[in-house]
Amino acid sequence: MLKINNLHVRVGEKTILNGIDLAVKPGEVHAIMGPNGSGKSTLSHVLAGREGYEVIEGEVLYQGNNLLDLSPEARAHAGLFLGFQYPVEIPGVNNMYFLKAAINARRVVQGRNELDAFDFIQMAKTKAKLVGLDESLLQRSVNEGFSGGEKKRNEIFQMAVLEPILAILDETDSGLDIDALRIVAEGVNALRDPERSVILVTHYQRLLDYIVPDYVHVLSEGRIVRSGGRELALTLEEKGYGWLKEKSPHIAPAGPGA
Amino acid sequence: MTETNSSKSPSLATAPIPGQAPSSTEELNTHLRKDYEHGFTTDVESDTLPPGLNEDVIRHISRMKNEPDFLLEWRLDAYRHWLTQRAPNWAKLNIDPIDYQAISYYSAPKTEKDGPKSLDEVDPKLLETYEKLGIPLAERAALAGVAVDAVFDSVSVATTFKDKLAKEGIIFCSFSEAVQKHPELIKRYLGSVVPTTDNYFASLNSAVFTDGSFVFIPKGVRCPMELSTYFRINAANTGQFERTLIIAEAGSYVSYLEGCTAPQRDENQLHAAVVELIALEDSEIKYSTVQNWYPGDENGVGGIYNFVTKRGDCRGDHSKISWTQVETGSAITWKYPSCLLRGDNSIGEFHSIAVTNHHQQADTGTKMIHLGKNTRSTIVSKGISAGQAQNIYRGLVHMGKNASASRNHTRCDSLLMGDRCGAHTYPYMEVKNPSARVEHEATTSRIGEDQLFYCRQRGISEEDAVSMIVNGFCKEVFRELPMEFAVEAQNLLALSLEGSIG
Ligand SMILES: Nc1ncnc2c1ncn2[C@@H]1O[C@H](COP(=O)(O)OP(=O)(O)OP(=O)(O)O)[C@@H](O)[C@H]1O
Ligand SMILES: [Mg+2]
């Protein structure tokens, strides 16, 4: 499904990702943890095709194709979804209108007919219920004036509507209250499917109680410094990130280079 | 002329994506077509006065139009006043000096016999633009300058239309016709809102105007239709000094639509129109404009100078005038549709979208002059700048001595696309009555890379995302436009801004 090989990424003069290797198979859930500023969002953005990042080395294969060659919208059409750490407000654009345009853009590319307003609304309402999104938010402008938690929930709602093949959720759990966290996790679990993979970026092991990952990776200074099963998250919660540095400061074979 | 400016197309945005065939090719094509599409230009007709302006020219105009003496005198007064004036000089507009002696002030009404005979002869690109704007099929030919009679029976359309209006006692005709048939109304109302001495361009217009529209809604009558379609078809060539006069008698209502979303080219560089609205007791006038004159090319060469004086007079108590405008064209736009709120409890509204791209300059806004008691005004201005364009909102809210308990609310939002354009807001307030209240809100935002990325991540193309964001920004104003026109205006906006990101 997704294969990242030796990915190096630079923003301006600053190298942020220093050789990421990661393989995600269909149906798997991978959690990525790591200290602030370690490059988690950068990785998410690069995968989604945001401009301003320069890939200086490495490659990313998605469903066997070179992902980095595609425009952001083409990646979305191919089933890649990014839940934003900071969802963006679009004043004056109705949430439902926005999502309908999104879903139909993809359907057109797939050669399917567009959903009409009626079918779309039915579907959207069902999905809103699934992720516990207040229906009144559907008629508001995209994220405008939404509370932090509502924005995150809206991301999960969009994911549920768009039914991605690979969902990358960048700290979708931060800002959610405990009940919301559970509801959102249930929403994600409901979408778990042998054909659908999820990359969860999170700081909190608590989320992983609800969405049980197959793998946990620790990203530090632009590299995956440790990978393990679910128990790795528990160890991290207990010990923090410091012990990783002490025990294995140089996992990568060579120095990062300038 | 087709110009494919592939150099401007952003790298990722419109790159054809395999498997995305139908929509993206279409997208790409329109993107490449974004240059102003003016279709054809006709040769100058013969029956035209030589360039130059003096009293004889004005006498000639008046004689050709068979005008009553009072009107000639009125024109001459205006001209004599104009001679004593200097062209205004605005800090924020860059205007080359205009040579008024180089302009020809009269040409005979166009016969259109030199125009294309049928739609087959019209530049297909122009027709595509019409289609993209959603202009009804029946109107496209007329707009493209096809001799109308050859295509459909416009005379009978106009006649049925006029019959229907006449039954209600509504007068809707060209200004010249009104001068012939209703001189007493002209005499009574012309210049009563915008006097000949009002400003440089209003004086010039008063001296040399050739035609325009006239509307009279009698007491208690609600005009049964938008006065728009007729106008679009029949008044496409009213010339560069247009004069419009609309009178709503007590308790009447009219919605009037000026202009056209279709691109309009005119060999006259200077346009100086005057529009006067008069609303008597309990009446309402809704005046909507879409202006899409040739803006000049990407380097700022050519393009129309649009210096318009528009003013509405809420003369009666409980009267209401609302201006709604969508301005996308012209190299330079200078206009401040205003309301004189004289009647007690009268209401003035101004809803505006002004788009500037490339090297366009717009200095627009409104004046709300509160004179009566308990008068209210609302100003909503949405300025969008792209390219190297400058967009200026300039507005005056005046609360007179007697305007007790009056209120104004102003909201000015600017949207910038890219970092070479500018938006400026100049609100002026004069409050002479302590119980009057004036509120002003202003915001400036940029179409963010983050917004675009967010949309694209959800699968929405960049062009669609831009148009979605811009339309969202303008929503409050679109809501004020007549329904079918709002759709056209939205398309127009997208068209004017195509390719401005990236
Ligand atoms: N556009 C940019 N210009 C310069 N530096 C950047 C840019 N984008 C990211 N960085 C830097 O790259 C590093 C990684 O940032 P990133 O947002 O990927 O971290 P993160 O792991 O998601 O952190 P957090 O847990 O706080 O969300 C940070 O030091 C950040 O300042
Ligand atoms: Mg982050």
Side-chain angles (χ1 to χ4, degrees):
Chain A
M1 154 99 44
L2 181 75
K3 192 140 181 14
I4 305 175
N5 296 322
N6 192 30
L7 185 66
H8 292 253
V9 170
R10 181 161 76 188
V11 176
E13 292 297 295
K14 188 177 172 188
T15 303
I16 298 171
L17 300 182
N18 281 305
I20 303 266
D21 291 294
L22 182 69
V24 178
K25 296 202 183 70
E28 289 179 352
V29 173
H30 290 240
I32 296 183
M33 306 182 78
N36 293 132
S38 55
K40 303 181 299 295
S41 293
T42 302
L43 177 62
S44 311
H45 286 151
V46 170
L47 292 177
R50 186 164 199 152
E51 280 164 40
Y53 299 93
E54 190 191 346
V55 175
I56 41 184
E57 215 185 314
E59 62 170 0
V60 180
L61 297 173
Y62 174 68
Q63 297 179 318
N65 298 316
N66 194 344
L67 183 71
L68 302 178
D69 285 348
L70 300 179
S71 68
E73 51 269 45
R75 297 180 199 200
H77 300 154
L80 187 146
F81 177 91
L82 171 62
F84 285 64
Q85 181 174 5
Y86 303 108
V88 180
E89 302 193 0
I90 311 180
V93 177
N94 177 285
N95 216 2
M96 289 289 266
Y97 178 82
F98 174 79
L99 252 190
K100 183 161 165 274
I103 198 168
N104 281 334
R106 184 169 169 203
R107 289 177 72 101
V108 166
V109 169
Q110 291 170 335
R112 296 158 72 192
N113 57 343
E114 299 188 20
L115 280 184
D116 64 25
F118 182 78
D119 290 342
F120 174 72
I121 289 169
Q122 294 304 107
M123 189 265 276
K125 284 193 169 163
T126 317
K127 301 287 170 131
K129 205 162 279 154
L130 182 74
V131 301
L133 185 85
D134 187 340
E135 264 193 32
S136 70
L137 295 181
L138 299 180
Q139 294 308 334
R140 291 196 9 210
S141 296
V142 181
N143 293 322
E144 194 187 25
F146 286 23
S147 75
E150 286 168 344
K151 283 182 183 170
K152 294 303 176 72
R153 232 187 263 211
N154 195 32
E155 294 291 287
I156 295 299
F157 165 65
Q158 294 187 18
M159 175 182 82
V161 167
L162 294 171
E163 301 185 330
I165 294 166
L166 172 64
I168 304 164
L169 303 178
D170 190 358
E171 296 198 25
T172 302
D173 54 330
S174 358
L176 291 179
D177 64 43
I178 295 174
D179 291 340
L181 183 71
R182 206 187 53 243
I183 292 166
V184 163
E186 279 165 9
V188 174
N189 285 332
L191 289 171
R192 277 184 93 155
D193 178 298
E195 298 302 317
R196 182 174 291 135
S197 312
V198 180
I199 296 176
L200 281 178
V201 174
T202 182
H203 285 294
Y204 304 107
Q205 122 75 20
R206 198 180 53 213
L207 177 71
L208 306 181
D209 287 340
Y210 295 112
I211 308 173
V212 180
D214 299 299
Y215 298 95
V216 175
H217 309 276
V218 179
L219 192 63
S220 177
E221 292 171 8
R223 234 175 286 167
I224 292 181
V225 294
R226 181 67 64 108
S227 297
R230 190 190 162 194
E231 64 294 341
L232 178 56
L234 291 166
T235 318
L236 289 171
E237 172 131 296
E238 201 180 309
K239 300 190 177 172
Y241 293 114
W243 65 280
L244 283 172
K245 283 203 175 143
E246 287 154 28
K247 277 195 154 176
S248 48
H250 294 296
I251 278 188
Chain B
M1 283 171 293
T2 341
E3 278 183 22
T4 53
N5 49 7
S6 51
S7 62
K8 291 218 74 179
S9 91
S11 50
L12 270 180
T14 49
I17 296 146
Q20 204 195 349
S23 69
S24 86
T25 335
E26 169 68 23
E27 191 77 48
L28 183 65
N29 285 342
T30 35
H31 180 69
L32 295 176
R33 258 197 327 258
K34 77 189 167 63
D35 303 82
Y36 193 88
E37 289 155 2
H38 50 77
F40 66 95
T41 46
T42 43
D43 292 335
V44 184
E45 301 79 9
S46 45
D47 202 358
T48 301
L49 268 183
L53 182 54
N54 53 47
E55 295 204 0
D56 287 342
V57 166
I58 293 167
R59 285 178 211 283
H60 179 87
I61 295 172
S62 192
R63 195 166 53 243
M64 293 303 288
K65 303 181 78 63
N66 193 27
E67 287 177 354
D69 289 345
F70 81 86
L71 197 50
L72 173 61
E73 285 312 315
W74 191 82
R75 285 177 182 275
L76 289 171
D77 277 351
Y79 174 67
R80 289 169 196 146
H81 180 79
W82 181 74
L83 284 178
T84 68
Q85 303 297 299
R86 282 173 174 276
N89 185 16
W90 298 280
K92 280 284 170 194
L93 292 182
N94 284 318
I95 305 171
D96 289 334
I98 299 165
D99 180 359
Y100 294 94
Q101 296 302 337
I103 298 172
S104 166
Y105 291 86
Y106 184 82
S107 51
K110 299 192 179 184
T111 57
E112 288 179 335
K113 61 171 177 282
D114 299 328
K117 300 285 178 291
S118 75
L119 274 179
D120 300 341
E121 290 177 31
V122 174
D123 185 340
K125 283 196 300 155
L126 185 70
L127 296 178
E128 257 173 82
T129 308
Y130 291 164
E131 192 177 335
K132 210 169 152 69
L133 289 170
I135 291 172
L137 208 58
E139 287 176 38
R140 292 184 200 167
L143 289 170
V146 174
V148 177
D149 292 340
V151 185
F152 65 88
D153 191 0
S154 75
V155 178
S156 75
V157 171
T159 320
T160 358
F161 194 78
K162 275 196 159 177
D163 281 353
K164 192 165 172 192
L165 294 176
K167 261 188 212 118
E168 311 263 7
I170 295 170
I171 305 169
F172 179 33
C173 60
S174 73
F175 198 92
S176 314
E177 190 181 332
V179 168
Q180 300 307 316
K181 294 190 179 154
H182 310 281
E184 71 296 343
L185 289 174
I186 300 288
K187 192 168 183 181
R188 179 149 163 216
Y189 290 107
L190 180 66
S192 72
V193 187
V194 179
T196 53
T197 53
D198 192 80
N199 68 68
Y200 189 79
F201 295 108
S203 301
L204 179 63
N205 173 288
S206 304
V208 302
F209 74 87
T210 40
D211 215 334
S213 306
F214 178 84
V215 177
F216 176 84
I217 315 288
K219 209 167 166 170
V221 170
R222 204 183 154 83
C223 184
M225 59 188 79
E226 305 277 348
L227 297 184
S228 61
T229 318
Y230 172 88
F231 181 87
R232 273 217 308 219
I233 295 176
N234 291 282
N237 286 312
T238 37
Q240 60 189 133
F241 300 102
E242 199 174 324
R243 191 90 198 184
T244 300
L245 179 58
I246 299 179
I247 301 144
E249 281 203 325
S252 67
Y253 168 85
V254 62
S255 166
Y256 182 88
L257 193 56
E258 173 206 334
C260 182
T261 51
Q264 286 169 287
R265 192 189 179 92
D266 194 305
E267 53 284 21
N268 301 311
Q269 178 145 59
L270 174 66
H271 278 246
V274 172
V275 176
E276 296 179 277
L277 312 182
I278 294 140
L280 302 180
E281 225 173 85
D282 284 317
S283 70
E284 178 176 350
I285 301 176
K286 200 170 153 52
Y287 191 106
S288 313
T289 308
V290 171
Q291 184 267 116
N292 188 19
W293 293 102
Y294 182 56
D297 66 15
E298 280 179 33
N299 302 313
V301 177
I304 302 281
Y305 294 177
N306 188 26
F307 301 142
V308 186
T309 306
K310 290 183 162 173
R311 194 171 306 154
D313 186 355
C314 284
R315 214 166 270 187
D317 293 350
H318 300 282
S319 57
K320 176 174 175 182
I321 289 179
S322 65
W323 299 100
T324 303
Q325 60 175 27
V326 178
E327 303 275 327
T328 63
S330 297
I332 298 174
T333 301
W334 177 86
K335 70 184 270 199
Y336 314 91
S338 306
C339 296
L340 288 172
L341 301 171
R342 288 208 278 192
D344 291 346
N345 304 300
S346 59
I347 299 174
E349 290 179 359
F350 174 75
H351 308 273
S352 168
I353 296 170
V355 181
T356 49
N357 200 352
H358 304 308
H359 291 263
Q360 282 177 278
Q361 307 173 63
D363 192 318
T364 174
T366 183
K367 294 182 208 166
M368 291 292 173
I369 313 292
H370 293 251
L371 300 174
K373 290 186 204 29
N374 198 27
T375 48
R376 276 177 291 149
S377 65
T378 307
I379 299 171
V380 180
S381 160
K382 304 276 180 179
I384 302 166
S385 329
Q388 282 145 272
Q390 296 297 322
N391 207 322
I392 296 146
Y393 169 82
R394 194 187 297 278
L396 167 71
V397 177
H398 173 93
M399 294 290 180
K401 275 201 311 294
N402 300 322
S404 50
S406 293
R407 294 197 302 277
N408 160 266
H409 187 264
T410 299
R411 192 188 157 92
C412 284
D413 297 323
S414 308
L415 186 67
L416 304 175
M417 305 172 73
D419 50 16
R420 288 178 304 164
C421 52
H424 315 268
T425 304
Y426 300 101
Y428 303 90
M429 292 171 204
E430 299 168 357
V431 181
K432 303 251 158 74
N433 183 304
S435 65
R437 220 170 57 220
V438 178
E439 293 166 6
H440 181 90
E441 284 178 77
T443 66
T444 300
S445 51
R446 207 173 277 281
I447 287 203
E449 183 265 334
D450 56 341
Q451 286 177 327
L452 287 177
F453 177 62
Y454 191 72
C455 294
R456 295 176 72 189
Q457 205 304 303
R458 298 299 185 248
I460 299 166
S461 73
E462 182 168 74
E463 292 289 324
D464 287 350
V466 168
S467 111
M468 197 183 261
I469 294 167
V470 168
N471 282 320
F473 175 76
C474 296
K475 198 165 168 183
E476 289 158 89
V477 176
F478 283 136
R479 240 191 332 245
E480 297 296 322
L481 285 172
M483 256 282 269
E484 73 281 14
F485 214 65
V487 176
E488 281 182 30
Q490 288 185 29
N491 295 338
L492 172 62
L493 221 60
L495 214 60
S496 336
L497 289 169
E498 263 177 11
S500 48
I501 286 266

